[in-house]
Amino acid sequence: MGATGLVGQELFHVLKKRGFPVGKLRLFASANSAGKVLHDTELEQLRSGCFSGLDVVFFAAGSDVSKRWAPEAVSQGAFVVDNSSAFRMEEGVPLVVPEINAHTMSANTKLIANPNCSTILALVALAPLHEAFGLRQLIASTYQAVSGSGKGGVDALSAEMRAWCDGCTLSTEHYPKPIVLNVIPLVDTLLEDGSSREEWKLRVESQKILQLPDLKVAATCVRVPVMRAHSMALTVSFDKSFSLEEAKDCLQVAAGVCLYEQEAIPTPQDASGVGDCIAGRLRLTDVLPNGLALWVSGDQLLKGAALNAVQIAEKVFL
Ligand SMILES: NC(=O)c1ccc[n+]([C@@H]2O[C@H](COP(=O)([O-])OP(=O)(O)OC[C@H]3O[C@@H](n4cnc5c(N)ncnc54)[C@H](OP(=O)(O)O)[C@@H]3O)[C@@H](O)[C@H]2O)c1
């Protein structure tokens, strides 16, 4: 569901690349796409009963679509992995990063929520450190790519780059300010307490996934003129003290993490198209008790969305 979108397209490639045993593939998108052909398959529009006979449905078409149609897919017998935020904080719905909390899925779980992309990328690197040293506080500043806001984000940056080169006025239709040669410290909508919904998601989803309801998280989420792959500067406080070498050793063997040595600088371009999160720039800091600062870049369309969703389905079906 959402086959023509950025996440939908990645889902197709990830399923193929990982040899997921797809029998019959059906692709759904909006009414605008119905009847067009993608990957030799005719795109369908959602209608009552359309999920009948399907084993797995990946939802990647936004919260409204998921809220309306995911329960129907479940009631028609499908296992659903939802990429939207519709059910993430709902009690009884597992919010899963397979490297961290696959155990929260049970045989009767029919709907799994894929966490927010920044949350997945941060936690893939932080969970192993948490297991070793006990996570206490997290301060996160994100640098989020335009593809994180779908096709519209990519189109906006592309159009603004062309407009800037041509000396034209920059449009601000997609984002609240121009995104080319700029950074925008607002991702998703503003909440009453002054934080953004993306910052709220990073906090509450981290607490749910790590089963740390009292974890303190201060996040500042920023949109940057990068096409693909999110990055984040993380400053973290732990219960136990540790050496820099111990922190590196921990990440060196962590599933889903590629640790860059000190001289290698991880960037979103390095992370684009890569399944692992790239961690680097590790250093101890005394601004927080048992503090560690690090940088993480990760492909939010892969591990932050499509790859994580397929890994969830693999846990259930393979
Ligand atoms: N982009 C990311 O990095 C990322 C990461 C994690 C999670 N997510 C989540 O994944 C979902 C998809 O994001 P995206 O970035 O792939 O968005 P996108 O590129 O804008 O694609 C949206 C998809 O949803 C379909 N769609 C839109 N409105 C619809 C409707 N009313 N009924 C049926 N289909 C509809 C579109 O079909 P048409 O082409 O026919 O319009 C398209 O296939 C969102 O919930 C998003 O929050 C995205």
Side-chain angles (χ1 to χ4, degrees):
M1 182 55 230
T4 52
L6 296 188
V7 174
Q9 294 275 5
E10 289 302 328
L11 275 164
F12 177 83
H13 294 303
V14 170
L15 288 167
K16 201 168 171 192
K17 192 169 173 194
R18 292 174 74 87
F20 194 93
V22 176
K24 183 171 167 47
L25 176 74
R26 287 175 58 199
L27 303 177
F28 296 90
S30 78
N32 298 334
S33 304
K36 293 180 187 161
V37 174
L38 183 65
H39 310 306
D40 298 325
T41 306
E42 191 170 319
L43 286 156
E44 298 177 54
Q45 191 181 342
L46 291 169
R47 58 188 158 69
S48 212
C50 66
F51 303 111
S52 175
L54 290 175
D55 295 314
V56 196
V57 182
F58 296 99
F59 274 81
S63 303
D64 291 345
V65 173
S66 294
K67 276 185 199 145
R68 164 69 182 85
W69 292 97
E72 186 161 332
V74 169
S75 74
Q76 285 171 34
F79 173 78
V80 168
V81 186
D82 182 28
N83 279 282
S84 84
S85 59
F87 304 102
R88 288 181 190 151
M89 295 312 295
E90 206 163 281
E91 218 174 298
V93 176
L95 183 62
V96 176
V97 183
E99 292 87 344
I100 304 172
N101 64 344
H103 62 274
T104 56
M105 301 190 284
S106 72
N108 3 332
T109 315
K110 285 292 182 194
L111 171 67
I112 306 282
N114 220 27
N116 166 263
C117 44
S118 302
T119 310
I120 297 178
L121 302 175
L123 293 194
V124 165
L126 292 180
L129 294 166
H130 165 56
E131 202 170 315
F133 314 123
L135 189 60
R136 191 192 282 184
Q137 290 174 63
L138 165 63
I139 300 170
S141 299
T142 70
Y143 302 73
Q144 299 187 216
V146 291
S147 53
S149 48
K151 291 184 284 190
V154 171
D155 291 346
L157 177 55
S158 307
E160 286 184 32
M161 286 198 294
R162 280 192 298 271
W164 188 83
C165 290
D166 294 345
C168 301
T169 313
L170 298 178
S171 106
T172 55
E173 276 161 32
H174 191 78
Y175 295 114
K177 297 278 173 93
I179 186 65
V180 73
L181 301 174
N182 208 2
V183 297
I184 306 175
L186 177 65
V187 177
D188 209 331
T189 51
L190 265 183
L191 302 178
E192 262 179 22
D193 70 354
S195 55
S196 69
R197 185 163 289 280
E198 185 82 352
E199 290 155 1
W200 174 81
K201 287 181 214 163
L202 190 51
R203 176 165 57 83
V204 297
E205 292 185 21
S206 299
Q207 292 168 337
K208 178 168 175 175
I209 294 163
L210 296 175
Q211 294 179 301
L212 291 174
D214 298 325
L215 178 69
K216 300 267 184 284
V217 180
T220 303
C221 293
V222 182
R223 187 74 65 195
V224 297
V226 163
M227 280 295 178
R228 182 166 176 150
H230 289 353
S231 300
M232 50 204 73
L234 305 174
T235 306
V236 200
S237 175
F238 293 93
D239 292 325
K240 292 186 197 156
S241 68
F242 53 88
S243 67
L244 187 58
E245 277 317 305
E246 285 172 315
K248 285 183 184 173
D249 288 348
C250 184
L251 289 181
Q252 197 77 258
V253 294
V257 179
C258 170
L259 180 66
Y260 270 28
E261 283 310 327
Q262 221 52 319
E263 306 73 36
I265 309 298
T267 68
Q269 287 190 7
D270 299 313
S272 290
V274 175
D276 282 350
C277 294
I278 305 174
R281 297 285 333 278
L282 263 69
R283 64 259 189 226
L284 299 179
T285 170
D286 59 6
V287 297
L288 293 174
N290 303 318
L292 178 74
L294 69 157
W295 177 269
V296 176
S297 291
D299 191 320
Q300 95 291 344
L301 289 170
L302 288 177
K303 185 57 191 169
L307 174 59
N308 199 70
V310 172
Q311 287 172 324
I312 289 170
E314 287 172 349
K315 287 274 175 207
V316 174
F317 287 93
L318 305 188

